[in-house]
Amino acid sequence: KRGRVRLHSPDPDYAHKAHDLQRILALARAYPQRITLLYGDELSFYRQPTLADRLYPVGVEPTVDLSHRANTRYRLAGALDAVTGRVTITSSHTIGRAKLADFLEQVRAVYPERWLFLVWDNWPVHAHPDVLAVAQQLHIHLLWLPTYAPWLNPIEKLWRLVKQTVLHQHTRADDWDGLKAAVQTCLDAYEHGSTDLLRYVGLLPN
């Protein structure tokens, strides 16, 4: 079997925070027209392809071509609707407090007149006073994940899907705009929600 790394969250409030997440998720499922729960996170990707397992004919070496250009980085900020599977995305070369504030405004515009909850991890920029002030102004309630507990954030599996379908072993190292467009096209498929995506990330109730 292939080895897997494991990390135990050191957060002393792990059980309390995890319980709060489940409680709000249950409310969002019970009152989908009034309450929305979003799982938020950021993704970085680069010009150069990443390696992964792929099927190749016997005797053919599974190589990928790198670019001689700088390994440019691009960033996404996203939110996954826990009930509908709708994905809201903003992108930029950098994601800082100003871009996160714009992202919060974008999210609120998508879900007007709702009780809106956004799950975020403990990246310090998420808790910057400027970002917190915008969230409060927009009446977006922030829910904090336990420290080092990405397994409680289903959008992480969406990023895994993007990596598997677009970024691993890609052939666009010298087509930076084409690579960004391919990532955007992959995410646009969930712009209006998706039960398949909910099933993939583990959010469809049994």
Side-chain angles (χ1 to χ4, degrees):
K1 293 183 179 179
R2 182 169 178 165
R4 299 192 337 183
V5 296
R6 211 165 78 168
L7 175 68
H8 175 72
S9 170
D11 195 328
D13 293 325
Y14 180 94
H16 175 73
K17 292 177 179 178
H19 178 267
D20 277 351
L21 293 177
Q22 288 301 311
R23 180 174 60 86
I24 300 302
L25 176 58
L27 289 173
R29 286 172 172 165
Y31 305 100
Q33 303 304 318
R34 296 169 52 193
I35 300 174
T36 295
L37 174 64
L38 302 174
Y39 292 97
D41 194 31
E42 292 75 36
L43 171 70
S44 295
F45 65 91
Y46 298 83
R47 174 190 295 276
Q48 306 290 20
T50 49
L51 299 179
D53 295 335
R54 287 289 187 270
L55 290 175
Y56 277 78
V58 174
V60 177
E61 187 176 7
T63 59
V64 292
D65 293 326
L66 300 181
S67 173
H68 292 288
R69 300 182 183 183
N71 195 18
T72 313
R73 184 183 74 168
Y74 202 62
R75 296 269 283 159
L76 305 174
L80 170 64
D81 190 315
V83 174
T84 68
R86 180 173 186 168
V87 175
T88 304
I89 294 291
T90 191
S91 59
S92 179
H93 290 285
T94 59
I95 300 289
R97 63 180 186 270
K99 194 65 177 177
L100 286 179
D102 292 343
F103 177 63
L104 291 175
E105 292 179 354
Q106 177 183 352
V107 166
R108 173 48 82 185
V110 172
Y111 300 95
E113 301 178 1
R114 296 266 190 113
W115 282 90
L116 189 55
F117 295 86
L118 174 63
V119 178
W120 258 349
D121 63 22
N122 296 275
W123 184 35
V125 184
H126 287 159
H128 190 282
D130 293 349
V131 177
L132 296 180
V134 172
Q136 183 177 25
Q137 178 185 357
L138 296 172
H139 304 289
I140 298 175
H141 306 276
L142 299 179
L143 299 175
W144 302 105
L145 286 166
T147 306
Y148 302 117
W151 54 86
L152 292 180
N153 195 356
I155 197 174
E156 296 279 2
K157 292 182 180 178
L158 172 61
W159 300 150
R160 182 180 69 184
L161 179 65
V162 173
K163 292 174 183 178
Q164 290 175 338
T165 58
V166 181
L167 298 175
H168 289 332
Q169 306 274 122
H170 74 73
T171 59
R172 298 183 176 93
D174 284 314
D175 183 12
W176 183 228
D177 289 338
L179 179 61
K180 291 188 290 184
V183 170
Q184 187 64 51
T185 298
C186 177
L187 293 167
D188 283 347
Y190 311 113
E191 183 180 6
H192 302 293
S194 168
T195 55
D196 288 341
L197 180 60
L198 289 176
R199 187 174 295 107
Y200 178 82
V201 302
L203 278 171
L204 272 185
N206 294 328

